[in-house]
Amino acid sequence: MRESWRWFGPNDPVSLSEIRQTGASDIVSALHAIPIGEIWPRDAINSHKKMIEEYNGNMSPLSWTVVESIPVHDDIKLAAPGHEKYVDNWITTLQNLAAEGIKTICYNFMPVLDWTRTDLKYQLPNGAFALRFDQDKFAAFDLFILNRTNARDDYTQDEYDRALNLAKAMTTEEQASLTQTIIAGLPGKMTDSYTLDDFRKALARYDHIDHAKLRGNLFAFLRLVSPHAEAAGVALAIHPDDPPWDMFGLPRVICTPDDLDTLFENVPSPANGMTLCVGTYGSRPDNDLPQMALDYAERIYFAHLRGVTRDVHEQRSFFEASHLDSDIDMVHVIKNLLDNEQNLNREIFIRPDHGHQMMGDINRNVNPGYSAIGRMKGLAEIRGVIKAITATNI
Ligand code: DNO
């Protein structure tokens, strides 16, 4: 397994020299400053790579090997008139990356919003902070802050009442902060930041797009992209929709094994692969993660390892738990991924996904989920599992 670490570039509060100390060898990164839809020029890719690999001569080497992510313009998701130029640009970016030796590309196909949480500082009993998605808070935002047309149809009476009580109890500041957390976007997002008005407009563009249409647009995109990925030796690794269910009346189409089966049946190219984001898929109790690690062995090119613990009474609410101590059987996920590597004779990239904000990071400016110490704890735990499994051959 190639231990990788996400780095957001020179503005990331976690520096490359700190990453080197964690023992990770591979960097997951992107050119975040380039507007969505534009080509990443080869020289810009090359300078970013040089920055990462600058001290490789005399220090433990770091290599930029994984891109997370090339954003997919919403016009492609909508198949809007003129979207072809964005597809061409995506292909050129892929080719430029491959020419610089970066051949694993994560991306997602979530409409309008990228990953979403409601709390960025949810305190755990041990004092550290985690990210959380609270379904009731989400509903309070959707129903009473955004006031989305037809939102009422998406909630039961009980859900509506709970959300109403929460909304009534929130101060104006709390409402503003919840709004920011949901629509301004989180680190690494591949969509725009919105104001409430822009957000309503962005949602309205999807009024006529149902699951079948969005799926069709994804397959059409991949049918155009995958021959170029194959030719360049690039592995595409689609990231699931996080959280993995419909939100704001938008269809979400990469949430379950059924979605993945449909995806691979329709676009069988070997370049068409996936990111096994354990925490995202694991936010649904019906997704069996160790089983998915086995079933999609040939398609998994990248894995995000992170645990979630769901609320007992509302299974769509969860917090990001410790990497090994959550509702997900992480040890068996890792064991199955290691078996795949043996059987297929190839390595995959793994990264500790989000970590807790803890110790010296509590008073430090960090990107939510992307602290130094919490992620290092996650990586160290994962590394322990890998070592134990490989050393004892269990
Ligand atoms: C959150 C991440 C997302 C993910 C993108 C993939 O931490 O999992 O930012 O990188 O959605 O395209």
Side-chain angles (χ1 to χ4, degrees):
M1 281 186 173
R2 299 273 289 267
E3 291 178 11
S4 66
W5 185 282
R6 191 173 199 181
W7 182 63
F8 290 108
N11 296 329
D12 192 326
V14 183
S15 67
L16 289 166
S17 61
E18 286 176 295
I19 298 174
R20 184 174 272 112
Q21 292 170 45
T22 69
S25 54
D26 289 79
I27 295 292
V28 176
S29 198
L31 301 188
H32 294 283
I34 299 185
I36 295 175
E38 285 183 19
I39 294 172
W40 297 6
R42 189 158 166 195
D43 56 349
I45 297 169
N46 182 270
S47 336
H48 197 72
K49 192 170 156 71
K50 280 209 175 109
M51 198 174 357
I52 292 169
E53 301 179 3
E54 194 178 354
Y55 297 105
N56 281 1
N58 46 12
M59 302 194 84
S60 316
L62 291 175
S63 326
W64 184 18
T65 37
V66 182
V67 168
E68 182 169 348
S69 298
I70 312 179
V72 178
H73 197 283
D74 262 287
D75 283 7
I76 299 180
K77 298 172 196 164
L78 289 158
H83 73 282
E84 296 80 3
K85 78 164 183 282
Y86 293 121
V87 178
D88 291 344
N89 289 356
W90 211 93
I91 293 170
T92 307
T93 297
L94 172 158
Q95 290 169 330
N96 287 348
L97 286 161
E100 292 296 330
I102 303 152
K103 299 197 171 184
T104 301
I105 295 177
C106 175
Y107 70 101
N108 72 67
F109 215 74
M110 287 178 246
V112 184
L113 276 188
D114 205 293
W115 65 298
T116 306
R117 298 289 180 270
T118 56
D119 299 81
L120 305 181
K121 274 204 140 186
Y122 174 72
Q123 193 156 31
L124 302 169
N126 67 7
F129 296 91
L131 305 184
R132 173 170 162 81
F133 181 84
D134 184 297
Q135 175 61 24
D136 290 346
K137 275 197 186 172
F138 174 81
F141 170 76
D142 191 15
L143 288 160
F144 305 112
I145 300 177
L146 179 64
N147 289 312
R148 181 171 60 87
T149 324
N150 301 332
R152 181 65 191 84
D153 301 345
D154 291 353
Y155 301 94
T156 63
Q157 188 61 45
D158 184 40
E159 289 166 350
Y160 179 91
D161 292 342
R162 287 190 333 233
L164 180 61
N165 287 338
L166 257 181
K168 276 194 196 147
M170 269 186 223
T171 62
T172 318
E173 289 76 45
E174 282 167 345
Q175 294 205 1
S177 139
L178 179 63
T179 304
Q180 272 298 104
T181 306
I182 297 180
I183 65 172
L186 295 172
K189 72 182 164 50
M190 296 296 144
T191 49
D192 288 316
S193 297
Y194 305 97
T195 61
L196 269 180
D197 248 14
D198 292 345
F199 186 59
R200 290 189 187 102
K201 285 185 197 136
L203 290 178
R205 292 188 79 200
Y206 281 84
D207 274 351
H208 60 291
I209 303 278
D210 59 9
H211 292 86
K213 281 218 172 96
L214 186 66
R215 245 184 252 286
N217 296 345
L218 169 61
F219 302 158
F221 167 70
L222 283 174
R223 286 190 190 110
L224 293 170
V225 167
S226 47
H228 297 280
E230 275 184 49
V234 162
L236 301 170
I238 196 165
H239 187 281
D241 305 333
D242 181 5
W245 48 78
D246 294 350
M247 306 169 83
F248 297 118
L250 294 167
R252 309 257 256 179
V253 295
I254 302 292
C255 302
T256 63
D258 282 348
D259 292 336
L260 290 169
D261 293 342
T262 314
L263 169 70
F264 300 132
E265 272 158 35
N266 278 274
V267 188
S269 160
N272 180 21
M274 60 183 273
T275 299
L276 184 73
C277 182
V278 173
T280 301
Y281 283 114
S283 312
R284 288 177 72 116
D286 52 342
N287 284 341
D288 176 343
L289 268 297
Q291 192 59 46
M292 289 174 75
L294 284 181
D295 291 346
Y296 298 103
E298 277 155 23
R299 299 286 178 176
I300 298 171
Y301 294 124
F302 186 30
H304 288 174
L305 303 181
R306 140 172 96 78
V308 289
T309 296
R310 295 179 296 271
D311 289 12
V312 177
H313 298 296
E314 170 52 76
Q315 293 271 301
R316 283 168 301 176
S317 295
F318 59 84
F319 70 91
E320 299 192 356
S322 297
H323 285 67
L324 299 187
D325 189 14
S326 78
D327 286 346
I328 301 168
D329 180 355
M330 186 66 82
V331 172
H332 280 96
V333 170
I334 295 174
K335 156 82 180 133
N336 293 349
L337 292 175
L338 285 167
D339 283 352
N340 295 343
E341 289 193 321
Q342 287 265 314
N343 298 337
L344 300 170
N345 197 22
R346 67 168 167 83
E347 279 189 305
I348 62 161
F349 295 96
I350 55 142
R351 70 170 177 84
D353 206 1
H354 315 160
H356 291 158
Q357 194 174 351
M358 57 193 288
M359 300 179 161
D361 279 345
I362 289 179
N363 294 317
R364 179 178 170 179
N365 167 36
V366 294
N367 282 315
Y370 289 92
S371 57
I373 301 173
R375 273 190 295 165
M376 184 169 70
K377 173 173 174 278
L379 178 60
E381 291 177 350
I382 291 163
R383 188 181 290 142
V385 172
I386 298 171
K387 287 270 183 209
I389 291 174
T390 40
T392 54
N393 219 355
I394 40 177

